[in-house]
PDB file of all heavy atoms in Angstrom:
ATOM      1  N   PRO A  24      -4.582 -15.660   3.348  1.00  0.00           N
ATOM      2  CA  PRO A  24      -4.621 -14.216   3.088  1.00  0.00           C
ATOM      3  C   PRO A  24      -4.606 -13.947   1.594  1.00  0.00           C
ATOM      4  O   PRO A  24      -3.990 -14.678   0.821  1.00  0.00           O
ATOM      5  CB  PRO A  24      -3.339 -13.713   3.748  1.00  0.00           C
ATOM      6  CG  PRO A  24      -2.415 -14.884   3.687  1.00  0.00           C
ATOM      7  CD  PRO A  24      -3.282 -16.114   3.810  1.00  0.00           C
ATOM      8  N   PHE A  25      -5.326 -12.896   1.181  1.00  0.00           N
ATOM      9  CA  PHE A  25      -5.272 -12.501  -0.219  1.00  0.00           C
ATOM     10  C   PHE A  25      -3.881 -11.959  -0.473  1.00  0.00           C
ATOM     11  O   PHE A  25      -3.354 -11.184   0.325  1.00  0.00           O
ATOM     12  CB  PHE A  25      -6.335 -11.435  -0.519  1.00  0.00           C
ATOM     13  CG  PHE A  25      -6.482 -11.142  -1.973  1.00  0.00           C
ATOM     14  CD1 PHE A  25      -7.187 -12.000  -2.792  1.00  0.00           C
ATOM     15  CD2 PHE A  25      -5.897 -10.024  -2.530  1.00  0.00           C
ATOM     16  CE1 PHE A  25      -7.317 -11.746  -4.147  1.00  0.00           C
ATOM     17  CE2 PHE A  25      -6.022  -9.751  -3.878  1.00  0.00           C
ATOM     18  CZ  PHE A  25      -6.734 -10.622  -4.689  1.00  0.00           C
ATOM     19  N   PRO A  26      -3.237 -12.358  -1.565  1.00  0.00           N
ATOM     20  CA  PRO A  26      -1.848 -11.925  -1.793  1.00  0.00           C
ATOM     21  C   PRO A  26      -1.743 -10.422  -1.984  1.00  0.00           C
ATOM     22  O   PRO A  26      -2.582  -9.797  -2.604  1.00  0.00           O
ATOM     23  CB  PRO A  26      -1.466 -12.668  -3.078  1.00  0.00           C
ATOM     24  CG  PRO A  26      -2.745 -13.023  -3.718  1.00  0.00           C
ATOM     25  CD  PRO A  26      -3.744 -13.193  -2.632  1.00  0.00           C
ATOM     26  N   SER A  27      -0.691  -9.868  -1.419  1.00  0.00           N
ATOM     27  CA  SER A  27      -0.430  -8.439  -1.579  1.00  0.00           C
ATOM     28  C   SER A  27      -0.014  -8.166  -3.017  1.00  0.00           C
ATOM     29  O   SER A  27       0.761  -8.913  -3.601  1.00  0.00           O
ATOM     30  CB  SER A  27       0.682  -8.003  -0.627  1.00  0.00           C
ATOM     31  OG  SER A  27       0.973  -6.650  -0.822  1.00  0.00           O
ATOM     32  N   LEU A  28      -0.559  -7.115  -3.588  1.00  0.00           N
ATOM     33  CA  LEU A  28      -0.247  -6.802  -4.979  1.00  0.00           C
ATOM     34  C   LEU A  28       1.134  -6.189  -5.141  1.00  0.00           C
ATOM     35  O   LEU A  28       1.666  -6.126  -6.241  1.00  0.00           O
ATOM     36  CB  LEU A  28      -1.310  -5.860  -5.549  1.00  0.00           C
ATOM     37  CG  LEU A  28      -2.723  -6.430  -5.565  1.00  0.00           C
ATOM     38  CD1 LEU A  28      -3.699  -5.407  -6.093  1.00  0.00           C
ATOM     39  CD2 LEU A  28      -2.786  -7.700  -6.381  1.00  0.00           C
ATOM     40  N   THR A  29       1.723  -5.723  -4.063  1.00  0.00           N
ATOM     41  CA  THR A  29       3.080  -5.171  -4.089  1.00  0.00           C
ATOM     42  C   THR A  29       3.872  -5.808  -2.962  1.00  0.00           C
ATOM     43  O   THR A  29       3.312  -6.265  -1.970  1.00  0.00           O
ATOM     44  CB  THR A  29       3.066  -3.646  -3.915  1.00  0.00           C
ATOM     45  OG1 THR A  29       2.418  -3.326  -2.692  1.00  0.00           O
ATOM     46  CG2 THR A  29       2.343  -2.974  -5.062  1.00  0.00           C
ATOM     47  N   SER A  30       5.173  -5.813  -3.119  1.00  0.00           N
ATOM     48  CA  SER A  30       5.989  -6.498  -2.114  1.00  0.00           C
ATOM     49  C   SER A  30       6.742  -5.558  -1.184  1.00  0.00           C
ATOM     50  O   SER A  30       7.280  -5.981  -0.183  1.00  0.00           O
ATOM     51  CB  SER A  30       6.985  -7.424  -2.813  1.00  0.00           C
ATOM     52  OG  SER A  30       7.817  -6.677  -3.660  1.00  0.00           O
ATOM     53  N   SER A  31       6.802  -4.291  -1.504  1.00  0.00           N
ATOM     54  CA  SER A  31       7.583  -3.374  -0.680  1.00  0.00           C
ATOM     55  C   SER A  31       6.679  -2.318  -0.057  1.00  0.00           C
ATOM     56  O   SER A  31       5.538  -2.134  -0.452  1.00  0.00           O
ATOM     57  CB  SER A  31       8.660  -2.704  -1.529  1.00  0.00           C
ATOM     58  OG  SER A  31       8.050  -1.939  -2.548  1.00  0.00           O
ATOM     59  N   LEU A  32       7.205  -1.627   0.922  1.00  0.00           N
ATOM     60  CA  LEU A  32       6.497  -0.538   1.577  1.00  0.00           C
ATOM     61  C   LEU A  32       7.120   0.786   1.157  1.00  0.00           C
ATOM     62  O   LEU A  32       8.311   0.868   0.870  1.00  0.00           O
ATOM     63  CB  LEU A  32       6.596  -0.686   3.095  1.00  0.00           C
ATOM     64  CG  LEU A  32       5.972  -1.931   3.703  1.00  0.00           C
ATOM     65  CD1 LEU A  32       6.281  -2.005   5.199  1.00  0.00           C
ATOM     66  CD2 LEU A  32       4.480  -1.941   3.487  1.00  0.00           C
ATOM     67  N   LEU A  33       6.304   1.820   1.123  1.00  0.00           N
ATOM     68  CA  LEU A  33       6.814   3.159   0.826  1.00  0.00           C
ATOM     69  C   LEU A  33       7.048   3.899   2.132  1.00  0.00           C
ATOM     70  O   LEU A  33       6.190   3.900   3.005  1.00  0.00           O
ATOM     71  CB  LEU A  33       5.804   3.942  -0.017  1.00  0.00           C
ATOM     72  CG  LEU A  33       5.524   3.448  -1.421  1.00  0.00           C
ATOM     73  CD1 LEU A  33       4.417   4.281  -2.056  1.00  0.00           C
ATOM     74  CD2 LEU A  33       6.778   3.521  -2.268  1.00  0.00           C
ATOM     75  N   SER A  34       8.194   4.504   2.256  1.00  0.00           N
ATOM     76  CA  SER A  34       8.488   5.292   3.445  1.00  0.00           C
ATOM     77  C   SER A  34       8.396   6.762   3.097  1.00  0.00           C
ATOM     78  O   SER A  34       9.046   7.239   2.165  1.00  0.00           O
ATOM     79  CB  SER A  34       9.893   4.978   3.961  1.00  0.00           C
ATOM     80  OG  SER A  34       9.960   3.655   4.408  1.00  0.00           O
ATOM     81  N   LEU A  35       7.583   7.474   3.847  1.00  0.00           N
ATOM     82  CA  LEU A  35       7.452   8.917   3.698  1.00  0.00           C
ATOM     83  C   LEU A  35       7.963   9.548   4.986  1.00  0.00           C
ATOM     84  O   LEU A  35       7.189   9.911   5.851  1.00  0.00           O
ATOM     85  CB  LEU A  35       5.991   9.305   3.444  1.00  0.00           C
ATOM     86  CG  LEU A  35       5.292   8.615   2.272  1.00  0.00           C
ATOM     87  CD1 LEU A  35       3.812   8.911   2.279  1.00  0.00           C
ATOM     88  CD2 LEU A  35       5.924   9.075   0.975  1.00  0.00           C
ATOM     89  N   GLY A  36       9.260   9.598   5.092  1.00  0.00           N
ATOM     90  CA  GLY A  36       9.863  10.046   6.343  1.00  0.00           C
ATOM     91  C   GLY A  36       9.640   8.978   7.401  1.00  0.00           C
ATOM     92  O   GLY A  36       9.946   7.813   7.189  1.00  0.00           O
ATOM     93  N   PRO A  37       9.055   9.345   8.531  1.00  0.00           N
ATOM     94  CA  PRO A  37       8.799   8.346   9.564  1.00  0.00           C
ATOM     95  C   PRO A  37       7.519   7.536   9.313  1.00  0.00           C
ATOM     96  O   PRO A  37       7.246   6.581  10.021  1.00  0.00           O
ATOM     97  CB  PRO A  37       8.645   9.193  10.837  1.00  0.00           C
ATOM     98  CG  PRO A  37       8.160  10.512  10.343  1.00  0.00           C
ATOM     99  CD  PRO A  37       8.790  10.701   8.996  1.00  0.00           C
ATOM    100  N   LEU A  38       6.754   7.893   8.288  1.00  0.00           N
ATOM    101  CA  LEU A  38       5.496   7.209   7.995  1.00  0.00           C
ATOM    102  C   LEU A  38       5.714   6.109   6.962  1.00  0.00           C
ATOM    103  O   LEU A  38       6.544   6.242   6.065  1.00  0.00           O
ATOM    104  CB  LEU A  38       4.457   8.202   7.476  1.00  0.00           C
ATOM    105  CG  LEU A  38       4.146   9.383   8.391  1.00  0.00           C
ATOM    106  CD1 LEU A  38       3.212  10.343   7.700  1.00  0.00           C
ATOM    107  CD2 LEU A  38       3.556   8.902   9.702  1.00  0.00           C
ATOM    108  N   VAL A  39       4.947   5.030   7.096  1.00  0.00           N
ATOM    109  CA  VAL A  39       5.048   3.901   6.179  1.00  0.00           C
ATOM    110  C   VAL A  39       3.682   3.682   5.543  1.00  0.00           C
ATOM    111  O   VAL A  39       2.658   3.673   6.228  1.00  0.00           O
ATOM    112  CB  VAL A  39       5.493   2.622   6.936  1.00  0.00           C
ATOM    113  CG1 VAL A  39       5.544   1.432   6.004  1.00  0.00           C
ATOM    114  CG2 VAL A  39       6.834   2.845   7.602  1.00  0.00           C
ATOM    115  N   VAL A  40       3.674   3.494   4.206  1.00  0.00           N
ATOM    116  CA  VAL A  40       2.436   3.307   3.458  1.00  0.00           C
ATOM    117  C   VAL A  40       2.583   2.076   2.579  1.00  0.00           C
ATOM    118  O   VAL A  40       3.612   1.893   1.924  1.00  0.00           O
ATOM    119  CB  VAL A  40       2.145   4.546   2.575  1.00  0.00           C
ATOM    120  CG1 VAL A  40       0.900   4.346   1.744  1.00  0.00           C
ATOM    121  CG2 VAL A  40       2.020   5.789   3.418  1.00  0.00           C
ATOM    122  N   ARG A  41       1.542   1.250   2.567  1.00  0.00           N
ATOM    123  CA  ARG A  41       1.513   0.110   1.651  1.00  0.00           C
ATOM    124  C   ARG A  41       1.076   0.608   0.272  1.00  0.00           C
ATOM    125  O   ARG A  41       0.052   1.270   0.151  1.00  0.00           O
ATOM    126  CB  ARG A  41       0.542  -0.960   2.139  1.00  0.00           C
ATOM    127  CG  ARG A  41       1.056  -1.740   3.309  1.00  0.00           C
ATOM    128  CD  ARG A  41       0.111  -2.802   3.760  1.00  0.00           C
ATOM    129  NE  ARG A  41      -0.343  -3.657   2.670  1.00  0.00           N
ATOM    130  CZ  ARG A  41      -1.132  -4.699   2.859  1.00  0.00           C
ATOM    131  NH1 ARG A  41      -1.562  -5.003   4.056  1.00  0.00           N
ATOM    132  NH2 ARG A  41      -1.520  -5.426   1.831  1.00  0.00           N
ATOM    133  N   PRO A  42       1.835   0.296  -0.781  1.00  0.00           N
ATOM    134  CA  PRO A  42       1.472   0.775  -2.116  1.00  0.00           C
ATOM    135  C   PRO A  42       0.102   0.289  -2.599  1.00  0.00           C
ATOM    136  O   PRO A  42      -0.607   1.016  -3.278  1.00  0.00           O
ATOM    137  CB  PRO A  42       2.590   0.239  -3.012  1.00  0.00           C
ATOM    138  CG  PRO A  42       3.739   0.020  -2.099  1.00  0.00           C
ATOM    139  CD  PRO A  42       3.140  -0.357  -0.782  1.00  0.00           C
ATOM    140  N   ASP A  43      -0.280  -0.957  -2.250  1.00  0.00           N
ATOM    141  CA  ASP A  43      -1.583  -1.438  -2.698  1.00  0.00           C
ATOM    142  C   ASP A  43      -2.718  -0.666  -2.029  1.00  0.00           C
ATOM    143  O   ASP A  43      -3.753  -0.406  -2.644  1.00  0.00           O
ATOM    144  CB  ASP A  43      -1.731  -2.944  -2.487  1.00  0.00           C
ATOM    145  CG  ASP A  43      -1.400  -3.403  -1.082  1.00  0.00           C
ATOM    146  OD1 ASP A  43      -0.848  -2.607  -0.299  1.00  0.00           O
ATOM    147  OD2 ASP A  43      -1.688  -4.569  -0.759  1.00  0.00           O
ATOM    148  N   TYR A  44      -2.523  -0.239  -0.792  1.00  0.00           N
ATOM    149  CA  TYR A  44      -3.541   0.599  -0.141  1.00  0.00           C
ATOM    150  C   TYR A  44      -3.587   1.988  -0.774  1.00  0.00           C
ATOM    151  O   TYR A  44      -4.654   2.581  -0.895  1.00  0.00           O
ATOM    152  CB  TYR A  44      -3.246   0.737   1.349  1.00  0.00           C
ATOM    153  CG  TYR A  44      -3.611  -0.452   2.182  1.00  0.00           C
ATOM    154  CD1 TYR A  44      -4.122  -1.618   1.618  1.00  0.00           C
ATOM    155  CD2 TYR A  44      -3.447  -0.437   3.554  1.00  0.00           C
ATOM    156  CE1 TYR A  44      -4.453  -2.708   2.390  1.00  0.00           C
ATOM    157  CE2 TYR A  44      -3.784  -1.524   4.342  1.00  0.00           C
ATOM    158  CZ  TYR A  44      -4.277  -2.658   3.754  1.00  0.00           C
ATOM    159  OH  TYR A  44      -4.610  -3.730   4.515  1.00  0.00           O
ATOM    160  N   LEU A  45      -2.429   2.483  -1.187  1.00  0.00           N
ATOM    161  CA  LEU A  45      -2.377   3.773  -1.853  1.00  0.00           C
ATOM    162  C   LEU A  45      -3.095   3.710  -3.206  1.00  0.00           C
ATOM    163  O   LEU A  45      -3.830   4.623  -3.577  1.00  0.00           O
ATOM    164  CB  LEU A  45      -0.922   4.201  -2.029  1.00  0.00           C
ATOM    165  CG  LEU A  45      -0.647   5.647  -2.358  1.00  0.00           C
ATOM    166  CD1 LEU A  45      -1.218   6.576  -1.293  1.00  0.00           C
ATOM    167  CD2 LEU A  45       0.843   5.871  -2.512  1.00  0.00           C
ATOM    168  N   ILE A  46      -2.919   2.604  -3.921  1.00  0.00           N
ATOM    169  CA  ILE A  46      -3.622   2.390  -5.189  1.00  0.00           C
ATOM    170  C   ILE A  46      -5.131   2.324  -4.952  1.00  0.00           C
ATOM    171  O   ILE A  46      -5.919   2.891  -5.703  1.00  0.00           O
ATOM    172  CB  ILE A  46      -3.109   1.109  -5.887  1.00  0.00           C
ATOM    173  CG1 ILE A  46      -1.673   1.304  -6.355  1.00  0.00           C
ATOM    174  CG2 ILE A  46      -4.015   0.704  -7.046  1.00  0.00           C
ATOM    175  CD1 ILE A  46      -0.978   0.025  -6.778  1.00  0.00           C
ATOM    176  N   MET A  47      -5.537   1.634  -3.882  1.00  0.00           N
ATOM    177  CA  MET A  47      -6.954   1.527  -3.561  1.00  0.00           C
ATOM    178  C   MET A  47      -7.542   2.894  -3.225  1.00  0.00           C
ATOM    179  O   MET A  47      -8.653   3.226  -3.647  1.00  0.00           O
ATOM    180  CB  MET A  47      -7.147   0.557  -2.383  1.00  0.00           C
ATOM    181  CG  MET A  47      -8.557   0.171  -2.141  1.00  0.00           C
ATOM    182  SD  MET A  47      -8.761  -1.233  -1.030  1.00  0.00           S
ATOM    183  CE  MET A  47      -7.501  -1.035   0.180  1.00  0.00           C
ATOM    184  N   LEU A  48      -6.809   3.710  -2.482  1.00  0.00           N
ATOM    185  CA  LEU A  48      -7.275   5.052  -2.159  1.00  0.00           C
ATOM    186  C   LEU A  48      -7.410   5.897  -3.429  1.00  0.00           C
ATOM    187  O   LEU A  48      -8.424   6.577  -3.626  1.00  0.00           O
ATOM    188  CB  LEU A  48      -6.314   5.734  -1.179  1.00  0.00           C
ATOM    189  CG  LEU A  48      -6.629   7.184  -0.820  1.00  0.00           C
ATOM    190  CD1 LEU A  48      -7.955   7.275  -0.076  1.00  0.00           C
ATOM    191  CD2 LEU A  48      -5.507   7.784   0.005  1.00  0.00           C
ATOM    192  N   ALA A  49      -6.423   5.811  -4.311  1.00  0.00           N
ATOM    193  CA  ALA A  49      -6.485   6.567  -5.565  1.00  0.00           C
ATOM    194  C   ALA A  49      -7.650   6.090  -6.431  1.00  0.00           C
ATOM    195  O   ALA A  49      -8.360   6.905  -7.035  1.00  0.00           O
ATOM    196  CB  ALA A  49      -5.169   6.433  -6.323  1.00  0.00           C
ATOM    197  N   ALA A  50      -7.871   4.782  -6.469  1.00  0.00           N
ATOM    198  CA  ALA A  50      -8.994   4.243  -7.249  1.00  0.00           C
ATOM    199  C   ALA A  50     -10.321   4.712  -6.679  1.00  0.00           C
ATOM    200  O   ALA A  50     -11.230   5.093  -7.426  1.00  0.00           O
ATOM    201  CB  ALA A  50      -8.934   2.719  -7.267  1.00  0.00           C
ATOM    202  N   MET A  51     -10.455   4.706  -5.371  1.00  0.00           N
ATOM    203  CA  MET A  51     -11.697   5.151  -4.747  1.00  0.00           C
ATOM    204  C   MET A  51     -11.957   6.621  -5.038  1.00  0.00           C
ATOM    205  O   MET A  51     -13.076   7.007  -5.391  1.00  0.00           O
ATOM    206  CB  MET A  51     -11.639   4.918  -3.231  1.00  0.00           C
ATOM    207  CG  MET A  51     -12.966   5.062  -2.512  1.00  0.00           C
ATOM    208  SD  MET A  51     -13.341   6.667  -1.796  1.00  0.00           S
ATOM    209  CE  MET A  51     -11.927   7.052  -0.846  1.00  0.00           C
TER     210      MET A  51
END
């Protein structure tokens, strides 16, 4: 697997977001 760029998850209440995916969305 390609290494994850971050090691923790962000919790937005009951929702969970991976920070590297959030960075990818912001970059896009």
Side-chain angles (χ1 to χ4, degrees):
F25 189 78
S27 177
L28 299 178
T29 58
S30 60
S31 62
L32 298 174
L33 294 175
S34 294
L35 306 170
L38 303 175
V39 178
V40 177
R41 286 181 51 177
D43 51 349
Y44 283 3
L45 196 58
I46 292 167
M47 191 167 37
L48 176 64
M51 192 266 309

